[in-house]
Amino acid sequence: MINDEFYMSLAIKKAWEFQILTYPNPAVGCAVLDAGGKLLSVAAHKKAGFLHAEPSAILLALCEKSEAFLSNFLRDYNAALGVKFESAAELENADLEPNFTYEYILQNHGGLLKGAKAYVTLEPCAHRGKTPPCAELLKRLKFAEVVIARGDENAVASGGAHILQSGGVAVKFDVLRQRADELIEPFLAWQKGNFSFFKLALSANGVAAGTAQSKIISNLASRTHSHRLRSAAELLVIGGATVRADRPRLDARLIEGGKNPNVMIYSRAREFDASIPLFGVAGRSVRVSSDINEAFAPRLTMFEGGENALKALDERVKWLLLYRSSELLDAPAVRLNLKLKPLFHGELDGDVYGWYRIERSL
């Protein structure tokens, strides 16, 4: 059925594709329909400091409505910032400079989205931080209605609905509220102190990384996604036994301009072979600690490991990120008693991945 829930589900699904990657911002998605009810765009906030979900979706909607707008934006963005894009598809995947794009939309929208409707997973922001306020943009483009899955409880950013209503924009709250609450759970956790998740890669028949003859389980797209998460995390935690057995590098080399994560090796034994690659990565710290509490001092912590690490997992680690390849491997599958609640599933060039809430029974 094509209704508010359907369009909001598109926005939520898009936001999940960038879960954690937006740190320290929340993952947010937005869908835009024109005044006639045609779906024009679905976009998400992709990275902190860059364009938010609402102006991203608005930009793509304007490009869909007008080839002239698209052509002019591509030309003027290149002239102003020296970055050349060839198509709307390239814009969709790019980290666009937010202030130029926001002002360009305001000055060149031509009323193309008057009477439009937006679906946003989180109440549009009302403040100007590194990026301008999204609520003001929707108001000034004369959207007819904004449907919001979840109000923003952040004292700094909240108030977007009031701005919209003051401009005559209809506002509807709590469409797919539970799913929006799940989406924003990491953001709320790291605002209060820490959010931690565990990453595990398995073959199609459940073989974990490091137990097969080939220690690479996932395809390049999955490994690249994992490296993007490493780049976002403040700390990566791994067990000493895994370090000794796998001799990993644990960097973000697959990401252009990525940040190599600081590493904590959780181990009682403090002696390690200094030639293990992770000790040779520049620009980050590596420490050995037997105090697991240190893992939860940063706001965002990523745990990596295999079956044994997952069996011994601290209860403060709330989510599991599971990559599953499309290959069968001749090795023993992991054996775990673990209850999970599925939150999202996606696809990465043939591999599948999913975010799960850990409901224990380890």
Side-chain angles (χ1 to χ4, degrees):
M1 183 176 179
I2 307 298
N3 54 16
D4 285 347
E5 286 73 16
F6 171 80
Y7 291 114
M8 187 63 76
S9 70
L10 297 179
I12 290 173
K13 182 178 179 181
K14 178 60 71 171
W16 269 106
E17 294 177 14
F18 300 92
Q19 183 63 270
I20 305 299
L21 302 175
T22 59
Y23 176 78
N25 293 347
V28 180
C30 178
V32 172
L33 281 61
D34 68 13
K38 177 186 176 182
L39 177 64
L40 297 176
S41 64
V42 184
H45 180 44
K46 297 189 285 292
K47 187 176 181 180
F50 292 90
L51 209 58
H52 283 190
E54 298 92 328
S56 295
I58 287 170
L59 176 69
L60 295 175
L62 290 169
C63 292
E64 177 69 19
K65 291 285 285 185
S66 169
E67 289 186 9
F69 179 92
L70 170 60
S71 177
N72 291 337
F73 179 79
L74 294 174
R75 179 198 63 207
D76 296 343
Y77 193 92
N78 183 34
L81 299 167
V83 181
K84 187 175 182 179
F85 300 107
E86 300 290 347
S87 66
E90 289 188 10
L91 294 178
E92 184 176 359
N93 295 317
D95 294 326
L96 296 175
E97 201 288 320
N99 294 290
F100 173 87
T101 306
Y102 185 102
E103 293 301 325
Y104 192 91
I105 291 171
L106 282 179
Q107 295 169 19
N108 297 278
H109 64 85
L112 291 170
L113 295 180
K114 183 177 181 180
K117 189 172 184 177
Y119 293 83
V120 190
T121 62
L122 183 65
E123 181 181 359
C125 62
H127 76 301
R128 178 179 287 271
K130 292 182 179 179
T131 60
C134 296
E136 187 67 28
L137 182 63
L138 292 159
K139 171 185 170 182
R140 291 178 63 178
L141 267 61
K142 299 189 182 301
F143 271 64
E145 184 178 6
V146 176
V147 181
I148 301 168
R150 189 187 195 283
D152 194 339
E153 299 168 0
N154 186 313
V156 175
S158 63
H162 177 73
I163 290 175
L164 293 169
Q165 291 166 332
S166 71
V169 182
V171 175
K172 180 180 180 181
F173 275 102
D174 294 335
V175 174
L176 298 185
R177 170 64 188 260
Q178 181 178 345
R179 289 179 59 188
D181 286 347
E182 292 171 343
L183 175 67
I184 203 175
E185 189 176 316
F187 172 72
L188 297 178
W190 66 54
Q191 278 196 317
K192 295 177 182 177
N194 172 269
F195 178 77
S196 295
F197 67 97
F198 188 99
K199 186 221 82 174
L200 178 67
L202 298 176
S203 70
N205 58 329
V207 177
T211 61
Q213 209 168 31
S214 170
K215 294 182 180 180
I216 297 178
I217 298 290
S218 303
N219 66 16
L220 179 60
S222 292
R223 298 198 309 276
T224 300
H225 182 259
S226 177
H227 282 214
R228 293 172 70 194
L229 291 167
R230 286 179 181 174
S231 183
E234 291 187 10
L235 181 67
L236 192 155
V237 178
I238 190 165
T242 301
V243 171
R244 293 184 176 91
D246 293 354
R247 300 179 64 85
R249 191 180 305 179
L250 300 179
D251 62 5
R253 62 189 178 278
L254 297 179
I255 306 301
E256 184 178 354
K259 172 183 67 67
N260 294 316
N262 294 329
V263 174
M264 173 180 147
I265 301 171
Y266 180 52
S267 174
R268 290 186 179 87
R270 305 187 66 86
E271 298 299 322
F272 288 86
D273 181 351
S275 69
I276 294 174
L278 74 86
F279 292 108
V281 176
R284 61 106 174 268
S285 67
V286 178
R287 71 180 187 273
V288 180
S289 176
S290 59
D291 183 2
I292 194 61
N293 292 311
E294 293 182 17
F296 303 99
R299 291 196 295 169
L300 178 59
T301 307
M302 179 175 179
F303 286 72
E304 294 195 29
E307 177 180 348
N308 291 333
L310 194 52
K311 285 179 177 178
L313 197 62
D314 189 281
E315 64 181 9
R316 287 169 287 186
V317 181
K318 301 300 185 184
W319 282 14
L320 171 69
L321 172 60
L322 179 61
Y323 297 96
R324 188 177 290 273
S325 78
S326 56
E327 297 181 354
L328 300 174
L329 295 176
D330 184 15
V334 298
R335 301 182 65 180
L336 292 167
N337 293 316
L338 185 59
K339 184 178 180 182
L340 303 172
K341 179 181 179 181
L343 300 173
F344 172 76
H345 290 100
E347 188 268 340
L348 293 163
D349 290 351
D351 282 9
V352 294
Y353 74 105
W355 287 102
Y356 300 84
R357 182 183 295 117
I358 300 172
E359 298 190 341
R360 305 339 278 183
S361 299
L362 289 168

